Amino acid sequence: MNQRFSKWLSVRYHRTVNSIAFLPAVITLLFLGAAFAMVLFDFSAAGKEVKASLHWLSLKDATTARSIISSIVSGIISLAVFSFSLVMIILNQTASQMSNRILDKLIGNKFQQSVLGVYVGTIVFALFLLSTIRDIDAGVSVPALSTYLLISLTVADLFLFIYFLHYITQSVKYETIIRQIAGETKDAIKQSCTQPSEVLVKPIAGVAILAPKDGKFQGFQQKTLLDICTEKNIVLSFIYPNGSYLIKGTPYLTLTGKDTIDQELTNRINLATTIEQDMAIDSSYYYGFRQLMEVAVKALSPGINDPGTAVASLYALGSLLAFRMKQHPQNHFAGEDGITRIITTEKSFDEVFELAMLPIWDYGKNDRVVLQAFHHILIQLQQRGAYPSIGKLLQAVDKGLVEKEDSLFVMAGNKDKQ
């Protein structure tokens, strides 16, 4: 029960923190707290003393204060609507020309969420101040210091809006997006590929455990699963590599050490593994390679026809493949007793290479610009490591370039005859 609740809490926490509304909500609450604290100071003895010593901060007309705050509220609302209408238009255009799978990356941009939070926070700050302005028996109660602070925040929001326009136009450039995906993928490789050489233990056949639901396999809780294996004196072997789609009821791992497995142990093992519909680069670096591949393929489609973006993706993939060539995943994990308890299935470098490069080759093998980029990248990769997949594709690229040159000479010869 505790394991089930812990997993449920972890999943909900991850979804909440990565939600587009989380950061704006936190910032809005901070603004609300600041407004409450500022009003308390405004009506305190210290606040009144400040206003008495600085006559230019006095604001005794309630109608004027209400007009200022109301104008600020309507202005910031218009600013927020315009800003994020622009964001939605740009996101829609980017997704249609690159890949809709990068939308999560663009929508989850922390700076954009922070700007939304500042806008909403300013509106909440203003509305809270508006509720504190009222007529009383002894006169009119106006939070002058808070109102002037609100005016300062509004001016800051205007400068933030100007910078936001610059930022959003820069952040949706294809080169910027490709660089971000490549950076996240490299970080994921560093975390999951920690071995200097490739030493893979083959999975062991045993009692099959079925996938509890449909979804993508995204790893497991290493400590929890090792504790279970040590406690029960068993070995678990995962059949599919991280990022693979699993159909409910399909065997996805095997258990060695017991002839049979009860439902309680099955449930404990399933709770320690992660199978979800959504995918993220930090849970599987293969997904980063796939995103870059999809960006290149989409750019080479007849409707887009943008070989420049495809070449930028190729260069990013080349750098990542060169890094992956020197970093290898660990596929066996030992418990506290030193015995190997968990064995995973990992893709070899050749498989990662083919996953990333061959679809781009299928779409771009008739484009001279793409062929030249392939040749440039593959020559450098071949110098770092003699892998069969690199050699085969390089031969195909060289053949394609020769055919392009031959066709050019044939065309020139026909023109001379005419």
Side-chain angles (χ1 to χ4, degrees):
M1 185 66 183
N2 290 335
Q3 187 182 355
R4 187 183 299 274
F5 176 74
S6 176
K7 184 175 182 179
W8 177 88
L9 189 63
S10 176
V11 170
R12 293 300 180 274
Y13 171 78
H14 182 76
R15 289 180 180 176
T16 302
V17 169
N18 289 282
S19 168
I20 189 175
F22 177 73
L23 190 57
V26 171
I27 295 175
T28 301
L29 290 175
L30 292 175
F31 269 79
L32 182 61
F36 182 76
M38 195 65 199
V39 169
L40 289 179
F41 175 75
D42 222 320
F43 294 137
S44 67
K48 292 177 181 178
E49 184 177 345
V50 171
K51 287 184 282 188
S53 60
L54 300 174
H55 298 288
W56 57 276
L57 284 178
S58 61
L59 184 62
K60 299 180 180 179
D61 187 359
T63 303
T64 302
R66 290 192 184 100
S67 298
I68 292 173
I69 297 174
S70 299
S71 299
I72 288 174
V73 169
S74 59
I76 297 299
I77 289 176
S78 300
L79 200 65
V81 170
F82 174 79
S83 297
F84 287 90
S85 295
L86 177 64
V87 170
M88 291 300 109
I89 292 172
I90 293 177
L91 291 182
N92 181 57
Q93 181 180 1
T94 304
S96 63
Q97 295 187 0
M98 295 187 75
S99 172
N100 60 1
R101 266 172 283 278
I102 67 172
L103 272 182
D104 290 341
K105 183 179 303 300
L106 298 176
I107 293 175
N109 185 290
K110 298 302 181 184
F111 179 74
Q112 295 176 16
Q113 294 180 7
S114 300
V115 172
L116 177 60
V118 170
Y119 286 163
V120 176
T122 303
I123 295 170
V124 170
F125 191 103
L127 292 175
F128 184 82
L129 290 188
L130 197 61
S131 67
T132 63
I133 302 175
R134 58 176 63 89
D135 298 326
I136 57 177
D137 295 339
V140 177
S141 174
V142 179
L145 295 176
S146 302
T147 304
Y148 282 112
L149 177 60
L150 175 62
I151 294 173
S152 301
L153 288 174
T154 305
V155 174
D157 285 354
L158 293 176
F159 283 103
L160 182 63
F161 171 70
I162 295 171
Y163 179 75
F164 178 75
L165 291 179
H166 167 75
Y167 176 85
I168 194 64
T169 55
Q170 296 297 316
S171 63
V172 296
K173 286 183 176 180
Y174 297 160
E175 293 82 1
T176 304
I177 296 173
I178 290 171
R179 188 166 55 250
Q180 289 176 349
I181 297 173
E184 290 185 20
T185 306
K186 190 171 184 179
D187 291 339
I189 293 175
K190 288 179 181 178
Q191 292 180 359
S192 58
C193 300
T194 57
Q195 304 301 309
S197 59
E198 191 171 42
V199 180
L200 299 179
V201 176
K202 293 183 179 180
I204 305 172
V207 181
I209 298 179
L210 309 182
K213 60 180 180 179
D214 297 330
K216 299 182 181 72
F217 172 55
Q218 300 185 32
F220 53 89
Q221 300 172 17
Q222 183 176 324
K223 185 179 183 307
T224 303
L225 212 54
L226 283 174
D227 291 342
I228 295 174
C229 292
T230 303
E231 175 191 341
K232 300 295 184 179
N233 192 26
I234 57 176
V235 177
L236 295 177
S237 299
F238 286 91
I239 300 174
Y240 300 101
N242 199 329
S244 300
Y245 187 83
L246 302 178
I247 300 174
K248 182 179 179 180
T250 302
Y252 78 107
L253 63 83
T254 59
L255 181 148
T256 308
K258 286 181 177 293
D259 295 331
T260 59
I261 177 173
D262 55 43
Q263 190 60 43
E264 180 185 359
L265 181 56
T266 301
N267 292 337
R268 290 180 64 187
I269 293 172
N270 286 335
L271 286 173
T273 59
T274 304
I275 301 175
E276 298 291 341
Q277 292 292 335
D278 298 329
M279 198 68 188
I281 294 177
D282 57 359
S283 62
S284 175
Y285 71 88
Y286 305 131
Y287 191 58
F289 281 95
R290 180 179 175 182
Q291 280 193 348
L292 290 172
M293 176 270 292
E294 289 179 349
V295 169
V297 168
K298 188 70 174 287
L300 292 172
S301 64
I304 306 298
N305 193 22
D306 182 12
T309 299
V311 169
S313 295
L314 267 177
Y315 288 161
L317 285 170
S319 298
L320 290 173
L321 287 168
F323 184 74
R324 169 62 178 80
M325 203 178 286
K326 303 301 181 184
Q327 301 289 124
H328 302 278
Q330 178 182 357
N331 85 319
H332 54 284
F333 304 88
E336 295 181 355
D337 53 6
I339 300 174
T340 297
R341 294 295 183 181
I342 301 175
I343 302 173
T344 62
T345 298
E346 301 291 343
K347 290 182 173 138
S348 65
F349 174 84
D350 286 318
E351 290 175 320
V352 175
F353 179 88
E354 292 172 358
L355 168 73
M357 291 299 210
L358 293 188
I360 304 175
W361 167 251
D362 292 337
Y363 278 80
K365 58 187 174 183
N366 295 319
D367 190 293
R368 186 185 297 273
V369 175
V370 177
L371 283 173
Q372 292 171 344
F374 262 116
H375 186 268
H376 180 67
I377 292 297
L378 293 176
I379 286 292
Q380 297 182 67
L381 289 177
Q382 192 177 50
Q383 292 173 351
R384 291 173 173 264
Y387 287 90
S389 56
I390 298 176
K392 289 179 182 178
L393 185 55
L394 184 57
Q395 289 178 1
V397 171
D398 289 338
K399 182 179 178 182
L401 286 172
V402 170
E403 290 175 353
K404 288 288 182 184
E405 295 297 331
D406 290 343
S407 64
L408 181 62
F409 290 136
V410 169
M411 291 174 60
N414 291 336
K415 287 184 178 180
D416 291 339
K417 291 179 181 178
Q418 293 176 357

